[in-house]
PDB file of all heavy atoms in Angstrom:
ATOM      1  N   SER F   1       7.918  33.508  25.094  1.00  0.00           N
ATOM      2  CA  SER F   1       9.287  33.048  25.313  1.00  0.00           C
ATOM      3  C   SER F   1       9.353  31.547  25.106  1.00  0.00           C
ATOM      4  O   SER F   1       8.361  30.830  25.272  1.00  0.00           O
ATOM      5  CB  SER F   1       9.742  33.394  26.719  1.00  0.00           C
ATOM      6  OG  SER F   1       8.925  32.742  27.653  1.00  0.00           O
ATOM      7  N   GLN F   2      10.509  31.049  24.684  1.00  0.00           N
ATOM      8  CA  GLN F   2      10.663  29.637  24.434  1.00  0.00           C
ATOM      9  C   GLN F   2      10.699  28.894  25.753  1.00  0.00           C
ATOM     10  O   GLN F   2      11.322  29.304  26.706  1.00  0.00           O
ATOM     11  CB  GLN F   2      11.965  29.384  23.664  1.00  0.00           C
ATOM     12  CG  GLN F   2      12.068  30.134  22.351  1.00  0.00           C
ATOM     13  CD  GLN F   2      11.017  29.745  21.330  1.00  0.00           C
ATOM     14  OE1 GLN F   2      10.355  30.576  20.738  1.00  0.00           O
ATOM     15  NE2 GLN F   2      10.846  28.458  21.141  1.00  0.00           N
ATOM     16  N   GLN F  33       7.726  16.286  23.779  1.00  0.00           N
ATOM     17  CA  GLN F  33       7.656  15.629  22.479  1.00  0.00           C
ATOM     18  C   GLN F  33       8.855  16.045  21.634  1.00  0.00           C
ATOM     19  O   GLN F  33       9.394  17.136  21.791  1.00  0.00           O
ATOM     20  CB  GLN F  33       6.354  16.008  21.770  1.00  0.00           C
ATOM     21  CG  GLN F  33       5.112  15.722  22.605  1.00  0.00           C
ATOM     22  CD  GLN F  33       3.823  16.053  21.895  1.00  0.00           C
ATOM     23  OE1 GLN F  33       3.746  16.018  20.666  1.00  0.00           O
ATOM     24  NE2 GLN F  33       2.785  16.364  22.660  1.00  0.00           N
ATOM     25  N   TYR F  35      10.117  16.339  17.507  1.00  0.00           N
ATOM     26  CA  TYR F  35       9.651  16.430  16.125  1.00  0.00           C
ATOM     27  C   TYR F  35      10.860  16.532  15.200  1.00  0.00           C
ATOM     28  O   TYR F  35      11.920  17.026  15.577  1.00  0.00           O
ATOM     29  CB  TYR F  35       8.771  17.679  15.934  1.00  0.00           C
ATOM     30  CG  TYR F  35       7.417  17.568  16.578  1.00  0.00           C
ATOM     31  CD1 TYR F  35       7.264  17.756  17.953  1.00  0.00           C
ATOM     32  CD2 TYR F  35       6.282  17.263  15.826  1.00  0.00           C
ATOM     33  CE1 TYR F  35       6.017  17.642  18.554  1.00  0.00           C
ATOM     34  CE2 TYR F  35       5.034  17.148  16.418  1.00  0.00           C
ATOM     35  CZ  TYR F  35       4.915  17.337  17.776  1.00  0.00           C
ATOM     36  OH  TYR F  35       3.671  17.215  18.368  1.00  0.00           O
ATOM     37  N   GLN F  37      11.947  17.925  11.219  1.00  0.00           N
ATOM     38  CA  GLN F  37      11.530  18.745  10.089  1.00  0.00           C
ATOM     39  C   GLN F  37      12.577  18.640   8.987  1.00  0.00           C
ATOM     40  O   GLN F  37      13.727  19.042   9.173  1.00  0.00           O
ATOM     41  CB  GLN F  37      11.346  20.217  10.483  1.00  0.00           C
ATOM     42  CG  GLN F  37      10.820  21.076   9.331  1.00  0.00           C
ATOM     43  CD  GLN F  37      10.662  22.530   9.712  1.00  0.00           C
ATOM     44  OE1 GLN F  37      11.439  23.069  10.504  1.00  0.00           O
ATOM     45  NE2 GLN F  37       9.648  23.183   9.166  1.00  0.00           N
ATOM     46  N   GLY F  42       6.755  20.478   6.668  1.00  0.00           N
ATOM     47  CA  GLY F  42       6.194  20.641   8.005  1.00  0.00           C
ATOM     48  C   GLY F  42       6.868  19.703   8.996  1.00  0.00           C
ATOM     49  O   GLY F  42       7.629  18.821   8.625  1.00  0.00           O
ATOM     50  N   LEU F  43       6.585  19.913  10.258  1.00  0.00           N
ATOM     51  CA  LEU F  43       7.174  19.074  11.301  1.00  0.00           C
ATOM     52  C   LEU F  43       6.443  17.747  11.380  1.00  0.00           C
ATOM     53  O   LEU F  43       5.225  17.678  11.164  1.00  0.00           O
ATOM     54  CB  LEU F  43       7.086  19.772  12.662  1.00  0.00           C
ATOM     55  CG  LEU F  43       8.146  20.822  12.948  1.00  0.00           C
ATOM     56  CD1 LEU F  43       7.898  22.094  12.147  1.00  0.00           C
ATOM     57  CD2 LEU F  43       8.179  21.143  14.437  1.00  0.00           C
ATOM     58  N   LEU F  48       6.531  10.926  22.055  1.00  0.00           N
ATOM     59  CA  LEU F  48       6.027  11.682  23.200  1.00  0.00           C
ATOM     60  C   LEU F  48       6.400  10.922  24.464  1.00  0.00           C
ATOM     61  O   LEU F  48       6.247   9.695  24.529  1.00  0.00           O
ATOM     62  CB  LEU F  48       4.507  11.833  23.086  1.00  0.00           C
ATOM     63  CG  LEU F  48       3.752  12.563  24.219  1.00  0.00           C
ATOM     64  CD1 LEU F  48       2.469  13.190  23.653  1.00  0.00           C
ATOM     65  CD2 LEU F  48       3.386  11.637  25.363  1.00  0.00           C
ATOM     66  N   ARG F  50       5.753  11.161  28.723  1.00  0.00           N
ATOM     67  CA  ARG F  50       4.993  11.839  29.768  1.00  0.00           C
ATOM     68  C   ARG F  50       5.892  12.113  30.972  1.00  0.00           C
ATOM     69  O   ARG F  50       6.916  11.475  31.172  1.00  0.00           O
ATOM     70  CB  ARG F  50       3.793  11.000  30.168  1.00  0.00           C
ATOM     71  CG  ARG F  50       2.817  10.814  29.027  1.00  0.00           C
ATOM     72  CD  ARG F  50       1.426  10.449  29.490  1.00  0.00           C
ATOM     73  NE  ARG F  50       0.506  10.383  28.367  1.00  0.00           N
ATOM     74  CZ  ARG F  50      -0.060  11.456  27.830  1.00  0.00           C
ATOM     75  NH1 ARG F  50       0.198  12.652  28.312  1.00  0.00           N
ATOM     76  NH2 ARG F  50      -0.890  11.316  26.820  1.00  0.00           N
ATOM     77  N   PHE F  88      13.235  19.209  16.836  1.00  0.00           N
ATOM     78  CA  PHE F  88      12.680  20.145  17.805  1.00  0.00           C
ATOM     79  C   PHE F  88      12.120  19.395  19.006  1.00  0.00           C
ATOM     80  O   PHE F  88      11.472  18.350  18.837  1.00  0.00           O
ATOM     81  CB  PHE F  88      11.533  20.953  17.189  1.00  0.00           C
ATOM     82  CG  PHE F  88      11.943  21.858  16.070  1.00  0.00           C
ATOM     83  CD1 PHE F  88      12.067  21.389  14.770  1.00  0.00           C
ATOM     84  CD2 PHE F  88      12.198  23.203  16.309  1.00  0.00           C
ATOM     85  CE1 PHE F  88      12.446  22.220  13.736  1.00  0.00           C
ATOM     86  CE2 PHE F  88      12.566  24.050  15.275  1.00  0.00           C
ATOM     87  CZ  PHE F  88      12.696  23.556  13.991  1.00  0.00           C
ATOM     88  N   ASP F  95      -2.561  18.068  29.282  1.00  0.00           N
ATOM     89  CA  ASP F  95      -3.344  17.464  28.208  1.00  0.00           C
ATOM     90  C   ASP F  95      -4.831  17.508  28.542  1.00  0.00           C
ATOM     91  O   ASP F  95      -5.632  16.792  27.960  1.00  0.00           O
ATOM     92  CB  ASP F  95      -2.873  16.047  27.889  1.00  0.00           C
ATOM     93  CG  ASP F  95      -2.884  15.140  29.103  1.00  0.00           C
ATOM     94  OD1 ASP F  95      -3.479  15.533  30.127  1.00  0.00           O
ATOM     95  OD2 ASP F  95      -2.310  14.060  29.036  1.00  0.00           O
ATOM     96  N   PRO F  97      -8.542  19.280  28.503  1.00  0.00           N
ATOM     97  CA  PRO F  97      -9.217  20.083  27.484  1.00  0.00           C
ATOM     98  C   PRO F  97      -9.119  21.570  27.783  1.00  0.00           C
ATOM     99  O   PRO F  97      -9.041  21.979  28.942  1.00  0.00           O
ATOM    100  CB  PRO F  97     -10.674  19.627  27.578  1.00  0.00           C
ATOM    101  CG  PRO F  97     -10.632  18.319  28.255  1.00  0.00           C
ATOM    102  CD  PRO F  97      -9.447  18.341  29.169  1.00  0.00           C
ATOM    103  N   GLY F  98      -9.109  22.375  26.757  1.00  0.00           N
ATOM    104  CA  GLY F  98      -9.200  23.805  26.973  1.00  0.00           C
ATOM    105  C   GLY F  98      -7.931  24.553  26.713  1.00  0.00           C
ATOM    106  O   GLY F  98      -7.084  24.139  25.932  1.00  0.00           O
ATOM    107  N   ALA F  99      -7.770  25.634  27.420  1.00  0.00           N
ATOM    108  CA  ALA F  99      -6.783  26.634  27.052  1.00  0.00           C
ATOM    109  C   ALA F  99      -5.345  26.185  27.237  1.00  0.00           C
ATOM    110  O   ALA F  99      -4.458  26.758  26.624  1.00  0.00           O
ATOM    111  CB  ALA F  99      -7.023  27.908  27.869  1.00  0.00           C
ATOM    112  N   SER F 101      -4.010  23.372  26.371  1.00  0.00           N
ATOM    113  CA  SER F 101      -3.645  22.272  25.489  1.00  0.00           C
ATOM    114  C   SER F 101      -2.794  22.764  24.331  1.00  0.00           C
ATOM    115  O   SER F 101      -3.195  22.678  23.179  1.00  0.00           O
ATOM    116  CB  SER F 101      -4.908  21.601  24.958  1.00  0.00           C
ATOM    117  OG  SER F 101      -5.672  22.551  24.242  1.00  0.00           O
ATOM    118  N   LYS F 102      -1.638  23.321  24.623  1.00  0.00           N
ATOM    119  CA  LYS F 102      -0.785  23.792  23.551  1.00  0.00           C
ATOM    120  C   LYS F 102       0.654  23.404  23.835  1.00  0.00           C
ATOM    121  O   LYS F 102       1.039  23.191  24.977  1.00  0.00           O
ATOM    122  CB  LYS F 102      -0.899  25.309  23.396  1.00  0.00           C
ATOM    123  CG  LYS F 102      -0.585  26.113  24.645  1.00  0.00           C
ATOM    124  CD  LYS F 102      -0.874  27.577  24.396  1.00  0.00           C
ATOM    125  CE  LYS F 102      -0.405  28.447  25.557  1.00  0.00           C
ATOM    126  NZ  LYS F 102      -1.251  28.292  26.747  1.00  0.00           N
ATOM    127  N   LEU F 103       1.442  23.295  22.768  1.00  0.00           N
ATOM    128  CA  LEU F 103       2.849  22.956  22.870  1.00  0.00           C
ATOM    129  C   LEU F 103       3.713  24.190  22.668  1.00  0.00           C
ATOM    130  O   LEU F 103       3.385  25.044  21.854  1.00  0.00           O
ATOM    131  CB  LEU F 103       3.237  21.927  21.812  1.00  0.00           C
ATOM    132  CG  LEU F 103       2.701  20.501  21.961  1.00  0.00           C
ATOM    133  CD1 LEU F 103       3.198  19.646  20.805  1.00  0.00           C
ATOM    134  CD2 LEU F 103       3.136  19.908  23.291  1.00  0.00           C
ATOM    135  N   LYS F 107      14.024  26.043  19.565  1.00  0.00           N
ATOM    136  CA  LYS F 107      14.481  26.611  18.307  1.00  0.00           C
ATOM    137  C   LYS F 107      15.037  25.564  17.345  1.00  0.00           C
ATOM    138  O   LYS F 107      15.263  25.854  16.179  1.00  0.00           O
ATOM    139  CB  LYS F 107      15.537  27.681  18.575  1.00  0.00           C
ATOM    140  CG  LYS F 107      14.991  28.858  19.354  1.00  0.00           C
ATOM    141  CD  LYS F 107      16.053  29.921  19.612  1.00  0.00           C
ATOM    142  CE  LYS F 107      15.468  31.050  20.451  1.00  0.00           C
ATOM    143  NZ  LYS F 107      16.455  32.101  20.746  1.00  0.00           N
TER     144      LYS F 107
ATOM    145  N   ARG K  30     -10.575  18.403  17.338  1.00  0.00           N
ATOM    146  CA  ARG K  30     -11.055  19.560  18.078  1.00  0.00           C
ATOM    147  C   ARG K  30     -10.028  20.691  18.134  1.00  0.00           C
ATOM    148  O   ARG K  30     -10.368  21.864  18.063  1.00  0.00           O
ATOM    149  CB  ARG K  30     -11.418  19.105  19.494  1.00  0.00           C
ATOM    150  CG  ARG K  30     -11.935  20.200  20.376  1.00  0.00           C
ATOM    151  CD  ARG K  30     -12.306  19.655  21.741  1.00  0.00           C
ATOM    152  NE  ARG K  30     -12.660  20.728  22.661  1.00  0.00           N
ATOM    153  CZ  ARG K  30     -12.886  20.538  23.956  1.00  0.00           C
ATOM    154  NH1 ARG K  30     -12.789  19.328  24.481  1.00  0.00           N
ATOM    155  NH2 ARG K  30     -13.197  21.556  24.729  1.00  0.00           N
ATOM    156  N   TYR K  31      -8.758  20.341  18.320  1.00  0.00           N
ATOM    157  CA  TYR K  31      -7.733  21.347  18.572  1.00  0.00           C
ATOM    158  C   TYR K  31      -6.962  21.668  17.298  1.00  0.00           C
ATOM    159  O   TYR K  31      -6.449  20.768  16.627  1.00  0.00           O
ATOM    160  CB  TYR K  31      -6.744  20.854  19.634  1.00  0.00           C
ATOM    161  CG  TYR K  31      -7.382  20.612  20.967  1.00  0.00           C
ATOM    162  CD1 TYR K  31      -7.834  19.355  21.332  1.00  0.00           C
ATOM    163  CD2 TYR K  31      -7.540  21.658  21.870  1.00  0.00           C
ATOM    164  CE1 TYR K  31      -8.430  19.136  22.560  1.00  0.00           C
ATOM    165  CE2 TYR K  31      -8.129  21.451  23.100  1.00  0.00           C
ATOM    166  CZ  TYR K  31      -8.582  20.183  23.434  1.00  0.00           C
ATOM    167  OH  TYR K  31      -9.171  19.978  24.642  1.00  0.00           O
ATOM    168  N   TYR K  33      -4.099  24.774  15.580  1.00  0.00           N
ATOM    169  CA  TYR K  33      -3.095  25.757  16.000  1.00  0.00           C
ATOM    170  C   TYR K  33      -2.493  26.445  14.772  1.00  0.00           C
ATOM    171  O   TYR K  33      -2.343  25.826  13.724  1.00  0.00           O
ATOM    172  CB  TYR K  33      -1.961  25.063  16.761  1.00  0.00           C
ATOM    173  CG  TYR K  33      -2.427  24.194  17.907  1.00  0.00           C
ATOM    174  CD1 TYR K  33      -2.843  22.887  17.678  1.00  0.00           C
ATOM    175  CD2 TYR K  33      -2.466  24.687  19.211  1.00  0.00           C
ATOM    176  CE1 TYR K  33      -3.290  22.090  18.723  1.00  0.00           C
ATOM    177  CE2 TYR K  33      -2.909  23.886  20.262  1.00  0.00           C
ATOM    178  CZ  TYR K  33      -3.321  22.589  19.999  1.00  0.00           C
ATOM    179  OH  TYR K  33      -3.763  21.803  21.036  1.00  0.00           O
ATOM    180  N   TYR K  35       1.098  28.432  13.944  1.00  0.00           N
ATOM    181  CA  TYR K  35       2.442  28.802  14.360  1.00  0.00           C
ATOM    182  C   TYR K  35       3.110  29.562  13.216  1.00  0.00           C
ATOM    183  O   TYR K  35       2.784  29.383  12.054  1.00  0.00           O
ATOM    184  CB  TYR K  35       3.292  27.560  14.654  1.00  0.00           C
ATOM    185  CG  TYR K  35       2.970  26.840  15.936  1.00  0.00           C
ATOM    186  CD1 TYR K  35       1.967  25.879  15.982  1.00  0.00           C
ATOM    187  CD2 TYR K  35       3.696  27.098  17.098  1.00  0.00           C
ATOM    188  CE1 TYR K  35       1.684  25.199  17.159  1.00  0.00           C
ATOM    189  CE2 TYR K  35       3.425  26.422  18.284  1.00  0.00           C
ATOM    190  CZ  TYR K  35       2.416  25.479  18.304  1.00  0.00           C
ATOM    191  OH  TYR K  35       2.150  24.806  19.474  1.00  0.00           O
ATOM    192  N   GLN K  37       7.164  30.278  11.806  1.00  0.00           N
ATOM    193  CA  GLN K  37       8.531  29.808  11.960  1.00  0.00           C
ATOM    194  C   GLN K  37       9.482  30.803  11.319  1.00  0.00           C
ATOM    195  O   GLN K  37       9.354  31.117  10.124  1.00  0.00           O
ATOM    196  CB  GLN K  37       8.731  28.432  11.332  1.00  0.00           C
ATOM    197  CG  GLN K  37      10.127  27.867  11.564  1.00  0.00           C
ATOM    198  CD  GLN K  37      10.282  26.440  11.058  1.00  0.00           C
ATOM    199  OE1 GLN K  37       9.660  26.032  10.084  1.00  0.00           O
ATOM    200  NE2 GLN K  37      11.114  25.667  11.747  1.00  0.00           N
ATOM    201  N   GLY K  40      16.124  31.546  13.839  1.00  0.00           N
ATOM    202  CA  GLY K  40      16.555  32.044  15.143  1.00  0.00           C
ATOM    203  C   GLY K  40      15.462  32.064  16.200  1.00  0.00           C
ATOM    204  O   GLY K  40      15.740  32.321  17.370  1.00  0.00           O
ATOM    205  N   HIS K  41      14.222  31.805  15.786  1.00  0.00           N
ATOM    206  CA  HIS K  41      13.112  31.834  16.751  1.00  0.00           C
ATOM    207  C   HIS K  41      12.386  30.512  16.861  1.00  0.00           C
ATOM    208  O   HIS K  41      11.572  30.319  17.758  1.00  0.00           O
ATOM    209  CB  HIS K  41      12.093  32.910  16.360  1.00  0.00           C
ATOM    210  CG  HIS K  41      12.602  34.305  16.513  1.00  0.00           C
ATOM    211  ND1 HIS K  41      12.608  34.967  17.724  1.00  0.00           N
ATOM    212  CD2 HIS K  41      13.138  35.151  15.615  1.00  0.00           C
ATOM    213  CE1 HIS K  41      13.118  36.175  17.563  1.00  0.00           C
ATOM    214  NE2 HIS K  41      13.449  36.313  16.297  1.00  0.00           N
ATOM    215  N   ARG K  44       6.707  29.667  16.886  1.00  0.00           N
ATOM    216  CA  ARG K  44       6.020  30.433  17.920  1.00  0.00           C
ATOM    217  C   ARG K  44       4.521  30.397  17.663  1.00  0.00           C
ATOM    218  O   ARG K  44       4.076  30.583  16.528  1.00  0.00           O
ATOM    219  CB  ARG K  44       6.525  31.883  17.947  1.00  0.00           C
ATOM    220  CG  ARG K  44       7.982  32.007  18.402  1.00  0.00           C
ATOM    221  CD  ARG K  44       8.446  33.446  18.374  1.00  0.00           C
ATOM    222  NE  ARG K  44       8.577  33.947  16.997  1.00  0.00           N
ATOM    223  CZ  ARG K  44       8.863  35.201  16.702  1.00  0.00           C
ATOM    224  NH1 ARG K  44       9.047  36.099  17.654  1.00  0.00           N
ATOM    225  NH2 ARG K  44       8.966  35.567  15.423  1.00  0.00           N
ATOM    226  N   LEU K  45       3.768  30.209  18.725  1.00  0.00           N
ATOM    227  CA  LEU K  45       2.321  30.049  18.616  1.00  0.00           C
ATOM    228  C   LEU K  45       1.650  31.403  18.423  1.00  0.00           C
ATOM    229  O   LEU K  45       1.883  32.348  19.196  1.00  0.00           O
ATOM    230  CB  LEU K  45       1.788  29.362  19.871  1.00  0.00           C
ATOM    231  CG  LEU K  45       0.292  29.081  19.910  1.00  0.00           C
ATOM    232  CD1 LEU K  45      -0.107  28.076  18.827  1.00  0.00           C
ATOM    233  CD2 LEU K  45      -0.106  28.557  21.285  1.00  0.00           C
ATOM    234  N   TYR K  48      -4.703  29.656  18.769  1.00  0.00           N
ATOM    235  CA  TYR K  48      -5.140  28.278  18.702  1.00  0.00           C
ATOM    236  C   TYR K  48      -6.640  28.206  18.982  1.00  0.00           C
ATOM    237  O   TYR K  48      -7.252  29.173  19.454  1.00  0.00           O
ATOM    238  CB  TYR K  48      -4.349  27.377  19.660  1.00  0.00           C
ATOM    239  CG  TYR K  48      -4.444  27.740  21.120  1.00  0.00           C
ATOM    240  CD1 TYR K  48      -5.217  26.986  21.983  1.00  0.00           C
ATOM    241  CD2 TYR K  48      -3.725  28.811  21.632  1.00  0.00           C
ATOM    242  CE1 TYR K  48      -5.291  27.302  23.329  1.00  0.00           C
ATOM    243  CE2 TYR K  48      -3.787  29.136  22.969  1.00  0.00           C
ATOM    244  CZ  TYR K  48      -4.567  28.389  23.822  1.00  0.00           C
ATOM    245  OH  TYR K  48      -4.634  28.707  25.148  1.00  0.00           O
ATOM    246  N   GLU K  59       1.647  33.361  21.933  1.00  0.00           N
ATOM    247  CA  GLU K  59       2.655  34.317  22.383  1.00  0.00           C
ATOM    248  C   GLU K  59       2.913  35.449  21.404  1.00  0.00           C
ATOM    249  O   GLU K  59       3.468  36.483  21.794  1.00  0.00           O
ATOM    250  CB  GLU K  59       3.961  33.580  22.699  1.00  0.00           C
ATOM    251  CG  GLU K  59       4.564  32.866  21.507  1.00  0.00           C
ATOM    252  CD  GLU K  59       5.903  32.202  21.857  1.00  0.00           C
ATOM    253  OE1 GLU K  59       6.786  32.866  22.408  1.00  0.00           O
ATOM    254  OE2 GLU K  59       6.045  30.998  21.526  1.00  0.00           O
ATOM    255  N   PHE K  90       2.608  27.713   9.790  1.00  0.00           N
ATOM    256  CA  PHE K  90       2.197  26.315   9.873  1.00  0.00           C
ATOM    257  C   PHE K  90       0.925  26.182  10.687  1.00  0.00           C
ATOM    258  O   PHE K  90       0.784  26.776  11.757  1.00  0.00           O
ATOM    259  CB  PHE K  90       3.284  25.460  10.541  1.00  0.00           C
ATOM    260  CG  PHE K  90       4.476  25.208   9.663  1.00  0.00           C
ATOM    261  CD1 PHE K  90       5.635  25.944   9.833  1.00  0.00           C
ATOM    262  CD2 PHE K  90       4.435  24.226   8.688  1.00  0.00           C
ATOM    263  CE1 PHE K  90       6.749  25.710   9.034  1.00  0.00           C
ATOM    264  CE2 PHE K  90       5.540  23.981   7.883  1.00  0.00           C
ATOM    265  CZ  PHE K  90       6.688  24.734   8.058  1.00  0.00           C
ATOM    266  N   ARG K  94      -4.160  18.571  16.809  1.00  0.00           N
ATOM    267  CA  ARG K  94      -3.706  17.673  17.861  1.00  0.00           C
ATOM    268  C   ARG K  94      -4.405  16.335  17.704  1.00  0.00           C
ATOM    269  O   ARG K  94      -5.637  16.262  17.660  1.00  0.00           O
ATOM    270  CB  ARG K  94      -3.986  18.245  19.247  1.00  0.00           C
ATOM    271  CG  ARG K  94      -3.212  17.517  20.339  1.00  0.00           C
ATOM    272  CD  ARG K  94      -3.523  18.066  21.702  1.00  0.00           C
ATOM    273  NE  ARG K  94      -4.749  17.496  22.241  1.00  0.00           N
ATOM    274  CZ  ARG K  94      -5.170  17.712  23.479  1.00  0.00           C
ATOM    275  NH1 ARG K  94      -4.486  18.489  24.285  1.00  0.00           N
ATOM    276  NH2 ARG K  94      -6.290  17.161  23.900  1.00  0.00           N
ATOM    277  N   ASN K  97      -3.340  10.995  20.425  1.00  0.00           N
ATOM    278  CA  ASN K  97      -2.198  10.660  21.279  1.00  0.00           C
ATOM    279  C   ASN K  97      -1.459  11.908  21.757  1.00  0.00           C
ATOM    280  O   ASN K  97      -0.387  11.803  22.325  1.00  0.00           O
ATOM    281  CB  ASN K  97      -1.229   9.738  20.525  1.00  0.00           C
ATOM    282  CG  ASN K  97      -0.570  10.434  19.340  1.00  0.00           C
ATOM    283  OD1 ASN K  97      -0.841  11.606  19.050  1.00  0.00           O
ATOM    284  ND2 ASN K  97       0.291   9.734  18.647  1.00  0.00           N
ATOM    285  N   TYR K  98      -2.048  13.075  21.507  1.00  0.00           N
ATOM    286  CA  TYR K  98      -1.520  14.375  21.945  1.00  0.00           C
ATOM    287  C   TYR K  98      -0.354  14.875  21.105  1.00  0.00           C
ATOM    288  O   TYR K  98       0.144  15.967  21.346  1.00  0.00           O
ATOM    289  CB  TYR K  98      -1.151  14.380  23.442  1.00  0.00           C
ATOM    290  CG  TYR K  98      -2.336  14.080  24.308  1.00  0.00           C
ATOM    291  CD1 TYR K  98      -2.501  12.826  24.861  1.00  0.00           C
ATOM    292  CD2 TYR K  98      -3.311  15.044  24.530  1.00  0.00           C
ATOM    293  CE1 TYR K  98      -3.607  12.536  25.630  1.00  0.00           C
ATOM    294  CE2 TYR K  98      -4.426  14.756  25.303  1.00  0.00           C
ATOM    295  CZ  TYR K  98      -4.566  13.501  25.843  1.00  0.00           C
ATOM    296  OH  TYR K  98      -5.675  13.212  26.601  1.00  0.00           O
ATOM    297  N   GLY K  99       0.103  14.089  20.134  1.00  0.00           N
ATOM    298  CA  GLY K  99       1.068  14.609  19.186  1.00  0.00           C
ATOM    299  C   GLY K  99       0.380  15.496  18.162  1.00  0.00           C
ATOM    300  O   GLY K  99      -0.829  15.388  17.953  1.00  0.00           O
ATOM    301  N   TYR K 100       1.138  16.380  17.556  1.00  0.00           N
ATOM    302  CA  TYR K 100       0.592  17.279  16.556  1.00  0.00           C
ATOM    303  C   TYR K 100       0.914  16.763  15.151  1.00  0.00           C
ATOM    304  O   TYR K 100       1.998  16.217  14.905  1.00  0.00           O
ATOM    305  CB  TYR K 100       1.210  18.670  16.681  1.00  0.00           C
ATOM    306  CG  TYR K 100       0.738  19.515  17.833  1.00  0.00           C
ATOM    307  CD1 TYR K 100       0.065  18.980  18.918  1.00  0.00           C
ATOM    308  CD2 TYR K 100       0.985  20.884  17.835  1.00  0.00           C
ATOM    309  CE1 TYR K 100      -0.348  19.775  19.968  1.00  0.00           C
ATOM    310  CE2 TYR K 100       0.575  21.698  18.876  1.00  0.00           C
ATOM    311  CZ  TYR K 100      -0.087  21.138  19.947  1.00  0.00           C
ATOM    312  OH  TYR K 100      -0.489  21.938  20.988  1.00  0.00           O
ATOM    313  N   PHE K 102       1.265  18.459  11.413  1.00  0.00           N
ATOM    314  CA  PHE K 102       1.410  19.765  10.797  1.00  0.00           C
ATOM    315  C   PHE K 102       1.053  19.727   9.321  1.00  0.00           C
ATOM    316  O   PHE K 102       1.253  18.717   8.629  1.00  0.00           O
ATOM    317  CB  PHE K 102       2.860  20.249  10.923  1.00  0.00           C
ATOM    318  CG  PHE K 102       3.205  20.772  12.286  1.00  0.00           C
ATOM    319  CD1 PHE K 102       3.529  19.911  13.325  1.00  0.00           C
ATOM    320  CD2 PHE K 102       3.187  22.138  12.544  1.00  0.00           C
ATOM    321  CE1 PHE K 102       3.834  20.392  14.591  1.00  0.00           C
ATOM    322  CE2 PHE K 102       3.489  22.632  13.802  1.00  0.00           C
ATOM    323  CZ  PHE K 102       3.811  21.758  14.826  1.00  0.00           C
ATOM    324  N   GLY K 103       0.561  20.870   8.834  1.00  0.00           N
ATOM    325  CA  GLY K 103       0.417  21.051   7.408  1.00  0.00           C
ATOM    326  C   GLY K 103       1.764  21.346   6.773  1.00  0.00           C
ATOM    327  O   GLY K 103       2.797  21.408   7.461  1.00  0.00           O
TER     328      GLY K 103
END
Side-chain angles (χ1 to χ4, degrees):
Chain F
S1 62
Q2 303 297 131
Q33 305 182 28
Y35 288 79
Q37 184 181 34
L43 279 73
L48 178 153
R50 297 201 176 279
F88 295 84
D95 56 13
S101 60
K102 57 186 187 288
L103 290 180
K107 296 180 183 179
Chain K
R30 180 178 173 187
Y31 297 94
Y33 307 84
Y35 286 86
Q37 184 174 32
H41 291 278
R44 293 178 290 174
L45 182 65
Y48 60 105
E59 61 177 309
F90 286 101
R94 195 181 83 173
N97 66 359
Y98 300 102
Y100 285 16
F102 283 81

